[in-house]
Amino acid sequence: QGGGGGTGSDALSRYRSPLVSRYAGAEMAFVFSERNKFGTWRRLWLFLAQAEKSLGLPITDEQIQEMEANLDNIDFKMAAEEEKRLRHDVMAHVHTFAHCCPKAAAIIHLGATSCYVGDNTDLIVLRDGLNLLLPQLARVISRLAEFAEKYADLPTLGFTHYQPAQLTTVGKRCCLWIQDLCMDLQNLERARDNLRFRGVKGTTGTQASFLQLFEGDHSKVEELDRLVTEKAGFKRSYMVTGQTYSRKVDIEVLSVLASLGASVHKICTDIRLLANLKEIEEPFEKDQIGSSAMPYKRNPMRSERCCSLARHLMTLIMDPLQTASVQWFERTLDDSANRRVCLAEAFLTADIILSTLQNISEGLVVYPKVIDRRIRQELPFMATENIIMAMVKAGGNRQDCHEKIRVLSQQAAAVVKQEGGDNDFIARVRADPYFSPIHKQLDSLLDPSSFIGRAPQQVAKFLKEEVRPALIPYQSKMGGKIELTL
């Protein structure tokens, strides 16, 4: 059975997605597992039978009890053999369920179409997947909020175009990351809350088979739809469907996951750049090896992994976009194989990047002295306007002062760029008698904290008024630190 000399029973001889074998958490992997999928199918058949019985169809308590007793008694080998024979996955599992429920065999899947179990299960899985991702994302935001609060006052060099710009603080920069993630949290909540159940709609969405079962009683068909929707844990079902629920639902869900991927990619790119500057580093284990050739290296491999997988997550949105656009009339089956891949991979990838980012955010290392040194290299030029204002207050001429500073700053820049030396602009100012009226003020004029504006106040207000309220629903799920096995 296996290619390349392997055997079908040898797992190492067959490809396994690293999303599951290497990275994903057990809970998310279970949500998209075969056992969960087919176990959910059986529960949906049970919900349908219970609701049909309650509305007067001739289904016995014994049949219901038999189904309840065998919900997890799935003979996967038999199901595989049946699917190979029938070329139909749903009917293979109908037969397999019926085999262990002989008394209920006649009423399993009564009035339903394949999408009753297929699409409804997908909606349950999407909901459950979002419910797993939300507290994970909240934990990341919480950890970063703690970091932002701790370093709210620590000045650091800002960058625009990746060129030195006005100062900000380490905490304020972190709040830029948090703000993006809070938007993602809101979007994930909206996507989950907007999900509806497909319900019982029949082969083309008209509910004709159920109307026939209930002998033209429209109220019973509507009540059947409501009962099954309620049993599945949904408040509403889609009022109109074709054979499937609209594939635009998949677009809505994967678009917010792709947006999350963009946020994580930006955050981890910033961390990688800061690691290169030696200002901030991600956690690095005692025995971790950065390079097989260069023992001294401390590569930001966790952030790199997040960026790598985030790119994959962002590209997956193209699948549901194209699938939704090519669904003909009430449904075509060219959605099926594609959705088996893209939906699971999107959630598994999101799960991985969030758990990895949580690990990063719980162990970020800051090097204040390196940050201060870089500020001291750039701050003298940024302080020129302050120096001019101080000289004018001391009785100097603004234009004369401007020319003096222009000459001295260009001389200092030449030392930095042409000679590779340190920025000696302030030393030149101190040595120039023209600036003697403000020599005693230079230290205060160069205090980095006077260049950060309202950054600390912005951090405090943002965390208090926007971040912490958004995290309230997840307080019971904050958990402990996360450890990565790889």
Side-chain angles (χ1 to χ4, degrees):
Q1 293 181 356
T7 64
S9 60
D10 183 358
L12 296 179
S13 299
R14 305 182 67 180
Y15 174 78
R16 292 177 63 207
S17 169
L19 292 177
V20 174
S21 65
R22 188 174 177 86
Y23 300 126
E27 287 183 298
M28 190 65 78
F30 174 76
V31 166
F32 287 91
S33 69
E34 298 284 273
R35 182 169 296 281
N36 185 49
K37 174 182 177 178
F38 297 126
T40 302
W41 284 13
R42 291 194 173 188
R43 283 161 177 79
L44 287 168
W45 283 319
L46 174 64
F47 297 158
L48 180 62
Q50 288 173 329
E52 289 174 335
K53 178 180 182 296
S54 71
L55 291 170
L57 291 189
I59 296 173
T60 67
D61 289 339
E62 193 175 20
Q63 288 172 315
I64 296 295
Q65 292 164 5
E66 189 178 51
M67 293 174 72
E68 289 175 332
N70 286 281
L71 291 175
D72 297 310
N73 179 27
I74 304 175
D75 187 337
F76 287 98
K77 182 178 179 181
M78 179 182 179
E81 291 170 351
E82 285 292 299
E83 184 172 357
K84 186 176 181 180
R85 180 175 69 87
L86 300 172
R87 297 294 177 184
H88 197 289
D89 56 350
V90 173
M91 286 309 299
H93 277 270
V94 168
H95 288 192
T96 303
F97 196 16
H99 180 75
C100 57
C101 298
K103 295 174 183 176
I107 55 93
I108 293 173
H109 199 65
L110 183 60
T113 187
S114 298
C115 285
Y116 167 70
V117 289
D119 270 36
N120 282 325
T121 292
D122 287 342
L123 290 163
I124 291 170
V125 165
L126 293 179
R127 178 196 65 193
D128 292 351
L130 289 168
N131 279 333
L132 284 178
L133 292 178
L134 280 162
Q136 284 183 276
L137 178 53
R139 285 194 291 272
V140 172
I141 293 171
S142 175
R143 304 316 192 255
L144 289 175
E146 293 171 6
F147 179 86
E149 187 171 44
K150 180 177 181 180
Y151 294 103
D153 301 318
L154 181 61
T156 189
L157 187 63
F159 291 96
T160 58
H161 314 276
Y162 201 37
Q163 301 300 314
Q166 287 293 322
L167 300 191
T168 181
T169 68
V170 171
K172 170 62 189 301
R173 175 178 285 151
C174 182
C175 284
L176 299 180
W177 304 341
I178 296 170
Q179 180 170 246
D180 287 351
L181 294 176
C182 284
M183 293 171 67
D184 294 317
L185 186 73
Q186 186 177 48
N187 289 337
L188 285 170
E189 289 173 338
R190 174 180 51 78
R192 178 200 59 191
D193 295 343
N194 284 349
L195 279 177
R196 300 189 193 185
F197 202 53
R198 177 189 175 274
V200 289
K201 299 296 195 294
T203 55
T204 58
T206 66
Q207 298 177 306
S209 58
F210 296 104
L211 190 62
Q212 184 177 359
L213 277 175
F214 289 104
E215 298 178 345
D217 190 331
H218 290 267
S219 63
K220 285 190 174 182
V221 176
E222 289 185 3
E223 181 64 5
L224 178 71
D225 203 356
R226 189 195 68 78
L227 286 172
V228 174
T229 297
E230 185 180 81
K231 288 176 179 292
F234 285 80
K235 295 179 180 178
R236 297 180 299 169
S237 66
Y238 295 106
M239 293 184 70
V240 294
T241 71
Q243 187 171 98
T244 69
Y245 67 80
S246 171
R247 295 310 183 215
K248 283 186 70 70
V249 175
D250 296 343
I251 296 175
E252 290 295 312
V253 173
L254 263 65
S255 67
V256 300
L257 298 185
S259 181
L260 171 65
S263 300
V264 173
H265 198 293
K266 184 266 191 294
I267 293 167
C268 290
T269 298
D270 283 358
I271 293 172
R272 292 164 66 189
L273 292 169
L274 290 167
N276 173 261
L277 298 175
K278 298 179 175 60
E279 293 187 3
I280 292 179
E281 287 182 342
E282 66 177 38
F284 198 87
E285 308 298 336
K286 181 187 175 200
D287 296 322
Q288 183 175 330
I289 295 174
S291 167
S292 61
M294 296 168 279
Y296 60 88
K297 293 196 77 178
R298 290 171 64 100
N299 298 331
M301 52 82 67
R302 291 172 173 83
S303 297
E304 290 174 309
R305 176 187 299 171
C306 282
C307 288
S308 180
L309 290 171
R311 289 201 306 273
H312 177 60
L313 178 55
M314 288 186 283
T315 64
L316 288 172
I317 184 58
M318 291 307 300
D319 278 336
L321 281 170
Q322 295 186 62
T323 295
S325 72
V326 299
Q327 287 301 287
W328 301 349
F329 303 111
E330 281 67 45
R331 193 266 173 99
T332 54
L333 193 58
D334 59 348
D335 62 340
S336 179
N338 184 288
R339 296 175 69 253
R340 288 176 192 264
V341 176
C342 72
L343 297 182
E345 288 201 353
F347 277 85
L348 291 166
T349 306
D351 173 78
I352 296 159
I353 63 175
L354 284 177
S355 61
T356 307
L357 184 56
Q358 181 184 335
N359 176 263
I360 293 170
S361 62
E362 289 171 345
L364 285 171
V365 181
V366 178
Y367 297 104
K369 290 184 179 180
V370 177
I371 293 173
D372 183 67
R373 183 175 184 274
R374 182 158 285 105
I375 290 174
R376 298 296 173 184
Q377 290 173 339
E378 302 293 341
L379 192 60
F381 293 146
M382 297 178 191
T384 54
E385 187 67 19
N386 289 12
I387 293 173
I388 291 174
M389 294 299 101
M391 279 295 295
V392 171
K393 288 180 180 179
N397 179 283
R398 194 265 178 199
Q399 311 312 328
D400 293 341
C401 184
H402 184 279
E403 179 59 20
K404 283 277 189 182
I405 287 179
R406 185 187 69 81
V407 173
L408 295 181
S409 62
Q410 289 188 4
Q411 292 171 351
V415 171
V416 173
K417 296 177 180 179
Q418 297 174 20
E419 301 175 17
D422 291 332
N423 188 334
D424 63 358
F425 172 73
I426 296 301
R428 292 175 185 272
V429 171
R430 291 186 190 280
D432 192 324
Y434 174 80
F435 293 99
S436 59
I438 64 165
H439 280 170
K440 292 182 179 179
Q441 299 180 47
L442 285 175
D443 286 341
S444 62
L445 290 173
L446 291 167
D447 180 3
S449 64
S450 67
F451 289 83
I452 60 176
R454 298 191 62 254
Q457 291 75 21
Q458 289 178 341
V459 171
K461 186 178 179 68
F462 174 61
L463 295 180
K464 178 182 178 181
E465 296 185 12
E466 292 198 23
V467 178
R468 294 199 174 95
L471 298 179
I472 288 173
Y474 307 99
Q475 288 303 317
S476 64
K477 298 180 180 180
M478 284 302 167
K481 287 189 175 183
I482 192 166
E483 301 293 336
L484 297 182
T485 57
L486 288 173

